Amino acid sequence: MTLLSIGHLTLPIDDPLLKFLLELIIILGAPLLLNKIKVPHLLGLIIAGALVGPNGFHLLARDSSVVVTGTTGLLYIMFLAGLEIDMGDIKKNKWKSLTFSAYTFVFPFTLGLFGGYYVLGFNVLTAVLFASLFSSHTLIVYPYVSRLGISKNIAVNITLGGTMVTDVLSLMVLAVVVGMTQGEVGAGFWARLSISMVVFVLIVLLLFPLLARWFFKRVEDKISQYIFVLVMIYLAALLSELAGVEAIIGAFFAGLALNRLIPRGSTLMNRVEFVGNALFIPFFLISVGMLIDFKVFFRGWETLGVAAVMLVASIGGKFLAAYATRKTFRLTKDEGMLIFGMSTASAAATLASVMVGYNIILSETPAGEPVRLLNEHVLNGSILLILISCTISSFVSMASAQWIAEADNENTMSGNNPEEEHILLAVNHEETIEAVVNLGLLVRAKTGASKLFALNIINDEKNESSIKNAEKILHLAVDTAAAADVELTPLTRYDNDVVAGVGNVIKEQQITDLVVALEDDKGFSPSFAYNLYNGYLQNEKVNVLVYRATQPLSTVKRYIVLLPPLAEKEPGFFYALLRVWNIGRNAGAKMTFYATEDTQKVLERILSKVSIEAEFRRLEHWRDAGQIASGLNADEALIALMARQGMVSYNREMRRLPDFLNEHLRRHNYLLIFPFPEEEGLMEKRSVSNNRDFMAIGNVISRVFR
């Protein structure tokens, strides 16, 4: 490679500091410049990569450092896609995803096979591999679609599920074609491939969660937890390659494996998304741009002809697949276009397949020229395909995603939405801060109307040590919330009576939910029980949540939810249930509801509007609650919907629950929710006996979850 010297500077730049600085300037400058002209900045990063790369001004070489960071970015995109998938939605929409995967594989494959065999004159084996290039796609726009808050939209969910299937299928075609060219396809080949894939899936989906749960329980250092996540991504990618498929499939499965262990809105999730979106994913887009060589399109008509066939097969096939999916499942026009936009981009799997086919030499011409499985015209055409498909994907996805996000916002603002929620976290003990803040992050709604407060009561004299301790506790609470990119307002109050101080703050800040954490070593002490029943529960318009944590929230597999008979008759039932639903949705844990038949009917109506993994079991009498709770397995937690004395669902057995918890659930997490008793709550003033009211409240909950 020839180096151009400019003073002490050589091109391409080989100084590591200057290289990294230039890449950071590109990452910083692309969004600022292109946002003004309404160009998606991910497209700007690709174009910038082409300009500074070896086929542009040659400022940077696509060396090992670029390849490593770019590969990490690609793996990161697939990992985030698997990590942010709602498993409840996946199970609910699995047939939709499978249908879309069939469409998005068959349509482009058919067009590519026809074009390769009949138009370009390839032999059958080459035509099959050529056709498989267009069935896969790369989710380069997913991080940006997710930022708009529509990652739970059905179109996104269908596309994510279909991506996994179609990418595996296209890469399987690649493996089979390569095996056939080498004469290896037979019973042994299929047996090896099948066994290796089964072993890979079992290791990642079964062993990875066990290993991660063990690690997160024992290691609290946030940096170590993030490094552990990176190790899991690369390890899954390596195992995927060993199994005979591309590394991106391994990264996607790693996201699925850790899906329930990295709650949405948690500190770790925020770090994973922040580092990926700030560094690794932009580096990947720049590395993709470095592959683009505009000069090849002017070297002959044959390359342009091959590229035209590739564009029609890929983009046309993806459009037909998205259109068929939209019509099959009666999606909106914007949702259909979002599916098309997200599935249009060809980069990772396409490029991998092209390079494999290009490097396979079938024979030599009499002149000694190699006859390749995929010739250089296909290789050059794939570069044009990457550029155009990524451009179309960027514009279409961002436009349709923006329309969907705006429609969701309009529905939320115009509908029967819960009023502004103010959640107060009582933090008087340093060892409970992280647990109570994480619970507050989990139960809150995702809307901007949600506010978090942390309160520390100083009931001693205003001495310096008490003030410093309060400042330390509140500072830790603020830092914990800030690590999840959530603003938390610290409050300090001087009061001789802690309960009275909390009550006054509830009135001053219009608190809707009070979260109180129990100390791990004390549990439900007599003094706390007295303060609860004679103090905190006297605030009539506030939900009171009593929480005890013995393990991180992210490591809980299942929540056992106990609902007393007639719970659905309480005015605050639906708002309290929203808290339970938020836990199930954000933590990704399974929920098992124990309730009467009447209560189950209400739950099933609401469940039709939202997607969490839930099952229902019969609970006829509250006296059976103790037996159910005592049967909790390891990594299971208890949520009990309680009632205050005088409420219709109140049972005298509830007063015995604190002693029961101290005796039987010392090693489990548990959460007691006391709904507000007032008829004027945060939800609509409607009779729960009316079916339309159930559906209206279900609509409210579903909007909050979007």
Side-chain angles (χ1 to χ4, degrees):
M1 180 182 296
T2 303
L3 299 179
L4 173 63
S5 296
I6 305 177
H8 295 291
L9 178 66
T10 58
L11 295 182
I13 299 170
D14 58 358
D15 182 83
L17 293 178
L18 192 54
K19 284 175 59 178
F20 196 70
L21 175 61
L22 179 58
E23 290 169 334
L24 289 179
I25 291 174
I26 292 173
I27 295 172
L28 176 64
L32 297 178
L33 294 176
L34 296 175
N35 283 345
K36 296 181 179 180
I37 56 175
K38 306 300 182 181
V39 175
H41 71 269
L42 64 89
L43 178 60
L45 292 173
I46 294 175
I47 295 174
L51 294 176
V52 303
N55 300 311
F57 296 107
H58 208 181
L59 300 179
L60 298 176
R62 197 173 188 274
D63 54 17
S64 58
S65 63
V66 174
V67 172
V68 168
T69 53
T71 300
T72 302
L74 174 58
L75 298 180
Y76 227 98
I77 290 175
M78 298 303 295
F79 174 74
L80 285 176
L83 187 65
E84 295 186 3
I85 278 181
D86 190 299
M87 300 307 294
D89 284 339
I90 281 290
K91 291 187 176 181
K92 184 177 180 180
N93 299 314
K94 59 183 177 182
W95 296 116
K96 293 183 176 67
S97 293
L98 288 174
T99 302
F100 167 68
S101 64
Y103 288 155
T104 199
F105 180 84
V106 171
F107 283 121
F109 186 89
T110 302
L111 291 177
L113 186 63
F114 179 86
Y117 188 77
Y118 290 103
V119 178
L120 300 179
F122 294 154
N123 60 52
V124 174
L125 205 58
T126 300
V128 169
L129 179 57
F130 180 77
S132 71
L133 302 179
F134 317 118
S135 296
S136 63
H137 50 258
T138 305
L139 298 172
I140 64 167
V141 297
Y142 175 75
Y144 305 94
V145 169
S146 179
R147 287 183 192 175
L148 294 176
I150 62 168
S151 60
K152 309 305 177 190
N153 183 273
I154 186 173
V156 178
N157 199 268
I158 289 174
T159 307
L160 292 179
T163 296
M164 175 180 63
V165 177
T166 191
D167 280 5
V168 169
L169 289 176
S170 63
L171 293 172
M172 290 288 288
V173 172
L174 171 64
V176 172
V177 170
V178 171
M180 292 181 68
T181 59
Q182 299 173 353
E184 296 178 355
V185 174
F189 170 83
W190 291 109
R192 287 194 304 272
L193 186 61
S194 301
I195 293 173
S196 62
M197 283 296 297
V198 170
V199 171
F200 158 71
V201 171
L202 291 177
I203 289 176
V204 175
L205 295 186
L206 298 181
L207 186 59
F208 275 33
L210 293 176
L211 181 60
R213 185 169 284 108
W214 175 87
F215 186 87
F216 291 151
K217 280 184 179 180
R218 287 159 178 79
V219 179
E220 297 182 358
D221 180 67
K222 304 304 180 185
I223 296 177
S224 298
Q225 290 182 353
Y226 177 75
I227 298 301
F228 174 82
V229 171
L230 285 182
V231 170
M232 291 294 98
I233 296 173
Y234 268 95
L235 181 58
L238 178 61
L239 292 175
S240 177
E241 290 186 336
L242 293 176
V245 293
E246 280 297 309
I248 56 175
I249 303 300
F252 185 84
F253 273 91
L256 293 178
L258 300 184
N259 184 283
R260 301 183 188 278
L261 293 164
I262 306 180
R264 298 167 186 86
S266 66
T267 301
L268 183 55
M269 175 66 88
N270 184 60
R271 285 193 170 99
V272 169
E273 292 180 332
F274 176 80
V275 176
N277 292 326
L279 288 178
F280 292 129
I281 293 174
F283 273 116
F284 162 69
L285 296 173
I286 292 174
S287 70
V288 169
M290 288 184 176
L291 294 170
I292 297 174
D293 184 2
F294 298 101
K295 295 187 294 292
V296 301
F297 310 129
F298 304 100
R299 292 175 181 169
W301 290 105
E302 190 170 355
T303 294
L304 293 177
V306 172
V309 172
M310 298 177 73
L311 289 170
V312 171
S314 179
I315 298 175
K318 295 300 181 183
F319 179 82
L320 291 175
Y323 183 80
T325 304
R326 173 195 162 195
K327 289 297 184 181
T328 301
F329 302 114
R330 298 179 180 178
L331 304 178
T332 67
K333 181 179 179 180
D334 288 328
E335 288 171 337
M337 292 305 294
L338 181 58
I339 292 176
F340 168 62
M342 290 185 65
S343 62
T344 297
S346 297
T350 300
L351 186 61
S353 299
V354 169
M355 293 305 299
V356 170
Y358 181 76
N359 290 328
I360 293 179
I361 299 176
L362 301 176
S363 61
E364 290 186 356
T365 65
E369 295 291 330
V371 177
R372 303 178 184 274
L373 185 59
L374 293 178
N375 58 37
E376 63 177 2
H377 301 299
V378 176
L379 177 62
N380 294 331
S382 67
I383 301 301
L384 183 60
L385 174 63
I386 290 173
L387 176 62
I388 295 180
S389 65
C390 288
T391 301
I392 294 175
S393 176
S394 301
F395 280 104
V396 173
S397 297
M398 298 308 291
S400 55
Q402 189 66 47
W403 281 112
I404 292 174
E406 290 177 0
D408 284 350
N409 291 336
E410 290 175 1
N411 290 335
T412 300
M413 296 304 296
S414 64
N416 302 307
N417 201 38
E419 295 177 4
E420 186 175 277
E421 60 178 24
H422 291 182
I423 302 175
L424 179 64
L425 312 176
V427 289
N428 267 45
H429 306 285
E430 185 175 344
E431 62 272 16
T432 65
I433 292 174
E434 184 171 2
V436 73
V437 172
N438 286 335
L439 179 67
L441 297 175
L442 210 62
V443 301
R444 72 188 184 99
K446 60 181 287 186
T447 62
S450 176
K451 294 183 180 180
L452 287 181
F453 299 86
L455 171 65
N456 183 272
I457 301 289
I458 301 177
N459 59 353
D460 298 327
E461 295 182 1
K462 297 182 181 180
N463 56 59
E464 187 175 348
S465 61
S466 298
I467 295 175
K468 285 186 176 180
N469 184 60
E471 291 176 349
K472 177 183 177 182
I473 289 175
L474 291 174
H475 187 269
L476 182 57
V478 171
D479 285 349
T480 303
D485 200 22
V486 175
E487 182 180 357
L488 183 145
T489 303
L491 302 172
T492 303
R493 191 176 186 90
Y494 299 94
D495 205 309
N496 291 328
D497 188 336
V498 173
V499 175
V502 171
N504 290 330
V505 171
I506 287 175
K507 296 175 183 177
E508 294 167 2
Q509 301 295 338
Q510 299 180 329
I511 298 301
T512 59
D513 300 83
L514 170 64
V515 181
V516 184
L518 297 173
E519 294 181 78
D520 189 26
D521 55 341
K522 294 182 179 180
F524 238 114
S525 64
S527 60
F528 179 83
Y530 179 85
N531 289 337
L532 174 66
Y533 291 108
N534 297 283
Y536 300 133
L537 295 182
Q538 301 307 310
N539 298 286
E540 295 182 340
K541 296 184 179 181
V542 176
N543 290 305
V544 178
L545 290 77
V546 179
Y547 179 55
R548 180 172 181 264
T550 61
Q551 69 181 81
L553 277 166
S554 61
T555 62
V556 176
K557 285 183 179 179
R558 181 191 300 271
Y559 285 93
I560 303 300
V561 185
L562 303 178
L563 304 178
L566 303 178
E568 74 278 7
K569 301 295 183 182
E570 303 292 358
F573 170 73
F574 293 101
Y575 191 75
L577 188 64
L578 180 59
R579 296 287 171 249
V580 178
W581 240 270
N582 279 337
I583 292 175
R585 189 66 179 263
N586 293 327
K590 297 179 181 178
M591 314 292 283
T592 300
F593 291 89
Y594 284 84
T596 63
E597 184 177 0
D598 290 339
T599 307
Q600 285 186 24
K601 290 179 180 178
V602 177
L603 295 175
E604 289 171 353
R605 288 169 183 164
I606 299 176
L607 188 62
S608 65
K609 294 291 182 179
V610 296
S611 296
I612 63 171
E613 287 196 74
E615 60 179 354
F616 303 101
R617 298 181 183 176
R618 193 67 59 86
L619 173 66
E620 294 296 345
H621 303 285
W622 186 254
R623 61 175 174 266
D624 299 329
Q627 182 179 356
I628 297 171
S630 60
L632 261 63
N633 297 322
D635 299 325
E636 290 185 342
L638 175 71
I639 298 177
L641 203 65
M642 306 292 286
R644 313 180 197 205
Q645 191 168 359
M647 297 175 68
V648 66
S649 62
Y650 176 76
N651 189 301
R652 286 180 297 176
E653 296 288 332
M654 292 180 178
R655 296 298 290 262
R656 302 178 184 177
L657 189 59
D659 293 332
F660 174 85
L661 295 174
N662 286 338
E663 182 178 354
H664 296 281
L665 268 68
R666 296 187 62 86
R667 297 184 179 180
H668 292 82
N669 289 15
Y670 58 78
L671 174 66
L672 307 182
I673 303 178
F674 295 83
F676 54 80
E678 289 287 301
E679 291 192 2
E680 293 183 1
L682 295 180
M683 304 299 286
E684 299 173 278
K685 302 177 186 177
R686 296 188 176 186
S687 169
V688 295
S689 61
N690 191 318
N691 289 346
R692 288 178 298 176
D693 297 332
F694 290 139
M695 300 308 293
I697 295 172
N699 285 329
V700 171
I701 293 177
S702 65
R703 286 172 187 154
V704 172
F705 283 145
R706 279 182 189 161

